[in-house]
Amino acid sequence: MPLIPLEVTLSTAGTAAATGLLGSIVLLRLYKLRKWGWVKSNFSLQGKTFIITGANTGLGYEATKALVRREATVVMACRNMAKANAAIAQIRSEVCEGAGALLPMELDLGSFRSIRQFASEVNRTIPSLYCLVNNAGLAVRVPEYTQENYEVHFGVNHLGQFLLVDLLKERLLAERTRVVVVSSRMHEIEAEIDFANLGRWVEYESRLNRLYNNSKLMNFYYARELYKRGFNVHVLCPGLCHTDFFRHYEPKWYHYLVFSPIVWLLLRSAEQGAQNIIFAATESETTPDRNPVRGFFVSNVKMRRSKFHFDEETSIRLWNESVRAIENAPKGK
């Protein structure tokens, strides 16, 4: 029997180990893709009008594309009209003829004036509204402020959509319009409603962006109060997605090199994350036992219950403080 050199044996063993590791990673990725879920329904949405804030990029873009493919009319509420029109051109190049309509409208959730102008335009030009998707949001690492001088996590992620819904509330209630609130599971992690610093930039001692987490908790509390007031509201977490959401963090080239395997394994694509928005906007149903007040939200294209312990005093106080923040807003810069 011929002798096999030790080097060949070790090389073969190493190759087998590497192949096994790669196979395990691929299987884990496939498992996650299945766990994350997918909207399988493709019934026509013709005659239904959706508003999606932040529709020109990331999750909003993918949700817009999926809905218009199903013949919906989508109002793309975007801060930058040039980017909105570029997104429309891209969607038109990817979606077949006969799809729904795309209507770009300017909306800056960091400006009360812009929000009021947008709401007025919607009431003037949109005859019926099937769904409002409050998707737009941001996370920043250095202090930024809205036109009314509120730090942006509170001002854009929470207060902007609070004002928008308030301006449209009569028709949202009358038409039983779906109101979709994009929260995040980060509301369960190091999040609180810090009433002493509401609207202020605070440097918390944490490796997480606590201001962002807090704003996502505000989104959930807000959805709870909307539900109690008779709105057809659905709250969701899209999951951690590979989009340009963290563009404000300005990652370096070596971050991409180091974290690319992790991103591929653990992060959803924008299209995958958008499935939860699409589901909440078209199919999810609330019941007396499974609704935002009881802590239920859409995750992985199904209902699950939050681990956070909500309390009614905080819920009502946040609503009242939000109303007060709008009424007493300082003048913009």
Side-chain angles (χ1 to χ4, degrees), residues 30-45:
L30 292 174
Y31 165 76
K32 286 186 172 295
L33 290 175
R34 182 175 181 180
K35 179 182 177 181
W36 289 334
W38 203 267
V39 174
K40 298 179 181 178
S41 301
N42 61 358
F43 54 84
S44 174
L45 297 170

Side-chain angles (χ1 to χ4, degrees), residues 32-284:
K32 286 186 172 295
L33 290 175
R34 182 175 181 180
K35 179 182 177 181
W36 289 334
W38 203 267
V39 174
K40 298 179 181 178
S41 301
N42 61 358
F43 54 84
S44 174
L45 297 170
Q46 187 174 23
K48 293 180 170 59
T49 300
F50 297 72
I51 295 175
I52 301 181
T53 64
N56 63 284
T57 187
L59 301 175
Y61 174 87
E62 293 297 338
T64 296
K65 184 168 65 174
L67 294 173
V68 79
R69 181 178 283 124
R70 290 167 58 179
E71 303 179 291
T73 295
V74 180
V75 176
M76 301 176 67
C78 305
R79 184 174 56 178
N80 186 309
M81 285 296 93
K83 292 182 178 180
N85 288 319
I88 289 174
Q90 182 62 33
I91 290 173
R92 288 301 180 203
S93 71
E94 298 177 22
V95 177
C96 64
E97 292 294 329
L102 291 166
L103 308 175
M105 291 179 64
E106 186 173 353
L107 172 64
D108 180 358
L109 287 170
S111 164
F112 287 178
R113 179 181 179 182
S114 175
I115 296 169
R116 291 190 172 101
Q117 289 176 339
F118 174 82
S120 178
E121 186 70 5
V122 167
N123 285 327
R124 187 180 68 84
T125 62
I126 305 300
S128 64
L129 183 56
Y130 180 77
C131 180
L132 167 62
V133 179
N134 293 290
N135 163 72
L138 45 71
V140 301
R141 61 186 182 88
V142 297
E144 292 187 27
Y145 299 88
T146 66
Q147 288 297 309
E148 288 69 36
N149 291 336
Y150 292 118
E151 70 87 13
V152 293
H153 300 91
F154 172 75
V156 172
N157 295 1
H158 169 67
L159 203 58
Q161 68 171 286
F162 187 102
L163 176 58
L164 176 59
V165 171
D166 184 67
L167 294 170
L168 298 173
K169 63 184 176 183
E170 284 81 8
R171 67 180 304 178
L172 297 179
L173 288 168
E175 299 175 27
R176 289 296 293 162
T177 301
R178 281 178 175 265
V179 179
V180 174
V181 177
V182 179
S183 181
S184 166
R185 288 189 64 182
M186 298 306 289
H187 80 270
E188 300 174 332
I189 305 172
E190 292 189 30
E192 64 175 332
I193 307 300
D194 185 1
F195 287 110
N197 295 297
L198 210 59
R200 301 173 181 171
W201 183 274
V202 180
E203 297 287 351
Y204 294 102
E205 293 184 2
S206 174
R207 298 181 65 181
L208 300 176
N209 184 338
R210 287 277 306 279
L211 287 171
Y212 173 77
N213 293 15
N214 292 352
S215 73
K216 295 293 103 178
L217 180 58
M218 291 177 201
N219 290 159
F220 212 130
Y221 266 118
Y222 175 53
R224 295 176 83 254
E225 287 300 309
L226 285 177
Y227 187 84
K228 288 193 290 183
R229 286 164 167 77
F231 288 83
N232 180 14
V233 62
H234 305 262
V235 60
L236 68 94
C237 169
L240 188 58
C241 302
H242 187 208
T243 68
D244 65 348
F245 180 78
F246 294 102
R247 59 189 177 277
H248 297 280
Y249 286 77
E250 299 177 351
K252 306 298 183 182
W253 66 269
Y254 52 83
H255 291 146
Y256 290 101
L257 182 64
V258 172
F259 291 108
S260 287
I262 300 174
V263 167
W264 182 82
L265 181 61
L266 300 179
L267 268 66
R268 310 169 199 228
S269 66
E271 184 180 14
Q272 289 159 348
Q275 300 306 303
N276 292 290
I277 295 177
I278 298 163
F279 182 75
T282 60
E283 293 186 60
S284 69

Side-chain angles (χ1 to χ4, degrees), residues 305-321:
R305 193 168 191 173
S306 172
K307 298 176 182 178
F308 190 86
H309 177 70
F310 298 95
D311 71 275
E312 295 309 307
E313 182 180 352
T314 299
S315 190
I316 295 170
R317 184 180 176 186
L318 177 62
W319 181 281
N320 292 336
E321 291 290 346

